Coordinates of all heavy atoms in Angstrom, one line a residue:
E197 N -15.0 52.6 0.1 CA -15.3 52.6 1.7 C -14.9 53.9 2.3 O -15.4 54.2 3.4 CB -14.6 51.5 2.3 CG -13.1 51.5 2.3 CD -12.4 50.4 3.0 OE1 -13.1 49.4 3.4 OE2 -11.2 50.5 3.2
K198 N -14.2 54.7 1.5 CA -13.8 56.1 2.1 C -14.7 57.2 1.4 O -14.6 58.3 1.6 CB -12.4 56.4 1.6 CG -11.3 55.5 2.4 CD -9.9 55.9 2.1 CE -8.9 55.1 2.9 NZ -7.5 55.5 2.6
G199 N -15.8 56.7 0.7 CA -16.8 57.6 0.2 C -16.3 58.4 -1.1 O -16.9 59.2 -1.6
R200 N -15.2 57.8 -1.9 CA -14.8 58.4 -3.1 C -15.4 57.7 -4.2 O -15.5 56.5 -4.4 CB -13.3 58.2 -3.1 CG -12.6 58.9 -2.0 CD -11.0 58.5 -2.1 NE -10.8 57.1 -1.9 CZ -9.6 56.5 -1.8 NH1 -8.5 57.3 -1.8 NH2 -9.5 55.2 -1.7
T201 N -15.7 58.6 -5.2 CA -16.2 58.1 -6.5 C -15.0 58.0 -7.4 O -13.9 58.3 -7.1 CB -17.2 59.0 -7.2 OG1 -16.5 60.4 -7.4 CG2 -18.4 59.3 -6.3
A202 N -15.3 57.5 -8.7 CA -14.2 57.4 -9.7 C -13.6 58.7 -10.0 O -12.3 59.0 -10.0 CB -14.7 56.7 -10.9
L203 N -14.4 59.8 -9.9 CA -14.0 61.1 -10.2 C -13.0 61.7 -9.1 O -12.0 62.3 -9.4 CB -15.0 62.1 -10.6 CG -14.7 63.6 -10.8 CD1 -13.8 63.7 -12.0 CD2 -15.9 64.4 -11.1
D204 N -13.5 61.3 -7.9 CA -12.7 61.7 -6.7 C -11.4 61.1 -6.8 O -10.4 61.8 -6.3 CB -13.5 61.2 -5.4 CG -14.8 62.0 -5.2 OD1 -14.9 63.2 -5.6 OD2 -15.8 61.4 -4.6
C205 N -11.3 59.8 -7.1 CA -10.0 59.1 -7.2 C -9.1 59.8 -8.2 O -7.9 60.0 -7.9 CB -10.2 57.7 -7.7 SG -11.0 56.7 -6.4
A206 N -9.7 60.2 -9.4 CA -8.9 60.9 -10.4 C -8.4 62.2 -9.9 O -7.2 62.6 -10.1 CB -9.7 61.1 -11.6
V207 N -9.2 63.0 -9.2 CA -8.8 64.3 -8.6 C -7.7 64.2 -7.6 O -6.7 64.9 -7.6 CB -10.0 65.0 -8.0 CG1 -9.5 66.2 -7.3 CG2 -11.0 65.4 -9.1
E208 N -7.9 63.1 -6.7 CA -6.9 62.8 -5.7 C -5.5 62.6 -6.2 O -4.6 63.0 -5.7 CB -7.5 61.7 -4.8 CG -6.5 61.3 -3.6 CD -7.1 60.1 -2.8 OE1 -8.2 60.3 -2.5 OE2 -6.3 59.3 -2.5
R209 N -5.4 61.8 -7.3 CA -4.2 61.4 -7.9 C -3.7 62.4 -9.0 O -2.7 62.2 -9.7 CB -4.2 60.0 -8.5 CG -4.3 59.0 -7.4 CD -3.0 58.6 -7.0 NE -2.3 57.9 -8.0 CZ -1.2 57.2 -7.8 NH1 -0.5 57.4 -6.7 NH2 -0.5 56.6 -8.7
N210 N -4.5 63.4 -9.2 CA -4.2 64.4 -10.3 C -4.0 63.7 -11.6 O -3.2 64.0 -12.4 CB -2.9 65.2 -9.9 CG -2.8 66.4 -10.9 OD1 -3.8 67.0 -11.3 ND2 -1.5 66.8 -11.1
S211 N -5.1 62.8 -11.8 CA -5.1 62.1 -13.1 C -5.9 62.9 -14.1 O -7.1 62.6 -14.2 CB -5.8 60.6 -13.0 OG -5.1 59.8 -11.9
T212 N -5.2 63.7 -14.8 CA -5.9 64.7 -15.6 C -6.8 64.1 -16.7 O -7.9 64.5 -16.9 CB -4.9 65.6 -16.3 OG1 -4.0 66.2 -15.3 CG2 -5.5 66.7 -17.1
E213 N -6.2 63.2 -17.5 CA -7.0 62.6 -18.6 C -8.2 61.9 -18.1 O -9.2 62.0 -18.7 CB -6.1 61.7 -19.4 CG -5.0 62.3 -20.1 CD -4.0 61.2 -20.8 OE1 -3.2 60.6 -20.1 OE2 -4.3 60.9 -21.9
A214 N -8.1 61.3 -17.0 CA -9.3 60.6 -16.4 C -10.3 61.6 -16.0 O -11.5 61.4 -16.1 CB -8.9 59.6 -15.3
Q215 N -9.8 62.6 -15.3 CA -10.7 63.7 -14.9 C -11.6 64.3 -16.0 O -12.8 64.4 -15.9 CB -10.0 64.8 -14.2 CG -9.4 64.6 -12.9 CD -8.6 65.8 -12.2 OE1 -9.3 66.8 -12.1 NE2 -7.4 65.6 -11.9
V216 N -10.9 64.7 -17.1 CA -11.6 65.2 -18.3 C -12.6 64.2 -18.8 O -13.7 64.7 -19.1 CB -10.4 65.6 -19.4 CG1 -11.2 66.0 -20.6 CG2 -9.6 66.7 -18.8
L217 N -12.1 63.0 -19.0 CA -13.1 62.0 -19.6 C -14.3 61.8 -18.8 O -15.5 61.8 -19.3 CB -12.4 60.7 -19.8 CG -13.2 59.5 -20.4 CD1 -13.6 59.9 -21.9 CD2 -12.4 58.2 -20.4
I218 N -14.1 61.6 -17.4 CA -15.3 61.4 -16.6 C -16.2 62.7 -16.5 O -17.5 62.5 -16.6 CB -14.8 61.1 -15.2 CG1 -14.1 59.7 -15.2 CG2 -16.0 61.0 -14.2 CD1 -13.4 59.3 -13.8
T219 N -15.6 63.8 -16.4 CA -16.3 65.1 -16.4 C -17.2 65.3 -17.7 O -18.3 65.6 -17.6 CB -15.4 66.3 -16.2 OG1 -14.6 66.1 -15.0 CG2 -16.2 67.6 -16.2
E220 N -16.6 64.9 -18.8 CA -17.2 65.1 -20.1 C -18.5 64.2 -20.1 O -19.5 64.4 -20.8 CB -16.4 64.9 -21.3 CG -15.4 66.0 -21.6 CD -14.4 65.7 -22.6 OE1 -14.3 64.5 -23.0 OE2 -13.7 66.7 -23.1
H221 N -18.3 63.0 -19.5 CA -19.4 62.0 -19.6 C -20.6 62.3 -18.5 O -21.7 62.3 -18.9 CB -18.8 60.6 -19.2 CG -19.9 59.6 -19.0 ND1 -20.6 59.1 -20.1 CD2 -20.3 58.9 -17.9 CE1 -21.4 58.2 -19.6 NE2 -21.3 58.0 -18.3
L222 N -20.1 62.8 -17.4 CA -21.1 63.1 -16.4 C -21.8 64.4 -16.6 O -22.9 64.6 -16.3 CB -20.5 63.1 -15.0 CG -20.0 61.8 -14.5 CD1 -19.3 61.9 -13.1 CD2 -21.1 60.7 -14.4
Y223 N -21.0 65.4 -17.0 CA -21.5 66.8 -17.3 C -21.2 67.3 -18.6 O -20.5 68.2 -18.8 CB -20.9 67.7 -16.2 CG -20.9 67.2 -14.8 CD1 -19.7 66.7 -14.2 CD2 -22.1 67.1 -14.0 CE1 -19.6 66.2 -13.0 CE2 -22.0 66.5 -12.7 CZ -20.8 66.2 -12.2 OH -20.7 65.6 -11.0
P224 N -21.9 66.7 -19.7 CA -21.5 67.1 -21.1 C -21.7 68.6 -21.4 O -21.0 69.1 -22.0 CB -22.4 66.2 -21.9 CG -23.5 65.7 -20.9 CD -22.9 65.6 -19.6

Side-chain angles (χ1 to χ4, degrees):
E197 63 180 13
K198 295 183 179 179
R200 299 172 300 187
T201 64
L203 181 57
D204 293 330
C205 290
V207 172
E208 181 179 312
R209 287 279 288 188
N210 195 29
S211 301
T212 306
E213 293 174 278
Q215 287 183 56
V216 171
L217 182 63
I218 295 173
T219 301
E220 288 178 346
H221 174 68
L222 294 177
Y223 314 107

